[in-house]
Amino acid sequence: MRVYAAIAWRTFRRYSTYRAATAAGVFTNTVFGFIMAFTYIALWRARPSLGGYDVNDAVTYVWLGQSLGMVGALWGGGFREELADRIRTGDIAVDLYRPVDLQAWWLAADLGRAAFHLLGRGIGPTLVGAFAFTLTIPGDLATWLAFLLAVFLGALVCFSLNYLFTLVGFWLMDARGVHQLAGVLAMFFSGMLLPLNVFPGWLGDLARALPWSSALQIPADIFLGKRQGASLVSALAFQAGWALVLWLAGRALTLLATRKVVVQGG
């Protein structure tokens, strides 16, 4: 475990060196936060209590989305471009020679990146939003801890989704098209455009049952106090279940991909 902790820490430090990029990201997220907050305010004034949220909940949801968007890296900017490039160039063969597990290696690196983005790009936009708007802030420690646990489980789910989509590169050789498709799916089904609670009928049921809801919708609902007691436990179990299923799927696909590398000669 020490080697994986070292990988996560070094990845955290690696991202911390990109100070200008971090500052630009905070600025971008803040600008988008203002645009979406005013859009949501107009929508919720026309449709009060839409999705079970009041206008303050909706605005809080916007800023949480801007803060958590890069934690899961569902739209790129994480490890998947680097891993896809190593698959395309054949450098992945060097990774497979290392005396560490390939999947756990990239998970450790991605958790280090996610931790930096949570602290570096997550806190700033939300603080700006808290000064400019009335946000719904949890008043008890238990909700904060449950929220952080949900963010961690969401990061695990996002990693496994990105890992699975990237491994397709072993067969396609170029995973950019798959990544673009994954980004579109993530944008819609994570709740980044609109909370999944406002989706009607079967579309809402489907969106909330898919793993992307772990990235934003579930952490946001916990933060807003919509998940308490048994509902909170079921939400965390939902995330943990998807994390386990996707991890095992990544395990199986890694074995198939490794066999393909051997067949091709590395």
Side-chain angles (χ1 to χ4, degrees):
M1 291 299 295
R2 292 177 60 184
V3 65
Y4 298 115
I7 293 168
W9 171 241
R10 281 166 174 73
T11 306
F12 183 96
R13 293 188 60 186
R14 170 189 168 194
Y15 275 87
S16 68
T17 60
Y18 305 137
R19 295 183 179 86
T22 301
V26 170
F27 176 78
T28 302
N29 286 127
T30 303
V31 171
F32 273 105
F34 273 95
I35 294 173
M36 294 190 67
F38 284 118
T39 304
Y40 273 40
I41 289 172
L43 177 60
W44 257 262
R45 282 180 178 171
R47 296 284 304 275
S49 302
L50 181 63
Y53 299 150
D54 60 25
V55 66
N56 292 338
D57 292 341
V59 173
T60 305
Y61 185 96
V62 167
W63 290 103
L64 287 174
Q66 295 304 311
S67 298
L68 298 180
M70 284 302 296
V71 173
L74 287 169
W75 308 277
F79 75 95
R80 69 184 194 184
E81 285 79 10
E82 183 178 354
L83 177 57
D85 190 56
R86 295 185 72 79
I87 293 173
R88 182 181 60 80
T89 60
D91 290 342
I92 191 67
V94 177
D95 299 341
L96 293 173
Y97 273 121
R98 291 174 177 153
V100 293
D101 182 81
L102 178 71
Q103 190 175 2
W105 169 285
W106 287 105
L107 172 62
D110 197 53
L111 289 179
R113 179 206 56 77
F116 172 77
H117 281 307
L118 180 62
L119 297 174
R121 290 184 60 169
I123 295 176
T126 302
L127 287 177
V128 173
F131 279 111
F133 302 92
T134 301
L135 303 186
T136 302
I137 305 297
D140 60 287
L141 180 61
T143 300
W144 279 99
L145 293 176
F147 168 70
L148 292 176
L149 177 58
V151 171
F152 172 73
L153 292 173
L156 293 180
V157 171
C158 293
F159 162 78
S160 293
L161 285 169
N162 282 327
Y163 186 75
L164 285 170
F165 280 116
T166 302
L167 286 189
V168 176
F170 274 100
W171 288 269
L172 300 181
M173 300 309 296
D174 189 340
R176 285 178 293 182
V178 176
H179 284 166
Q180 290 178 354
L181 173 62
V184 172
L185 292 173
M187 181 67 74
F188 187 79
F189 287 115
S190 68
M192 181 58 72
L193 296 178
L194 278 173
L196 303 181
N197 295 340
V198 309
F199 288 2
W202 66 268
L203 179 60
D205 295 337
L206 174 64
R208 288 187 291 274
L210 293 175
W212 289 283
S213 64
S214 298
L216 172 58
Q217 184 65 57
I218 290 178
D221 279 346
I222 292 174
F223 189 89
L224 295 171
K226 306 298 182 185
R227 297 277 195 168
Q228 295 181 343
S231 177
L232 172 61
V233 173
S234 67
L236 296 175
F238 173 86
Q239 291 181 293
W242 266 120
L244 178 61
V245 169
L246 293 172
W247 175 268
L248 294 177
R251 210 79 185 157
L253 199 61
T254 300
L255 291 176
L256 289 175
T258 303
R259 183 179 303 175
K260 182 175 179 62
V261 170
V262 172
V263 170
Q264 290 181 339

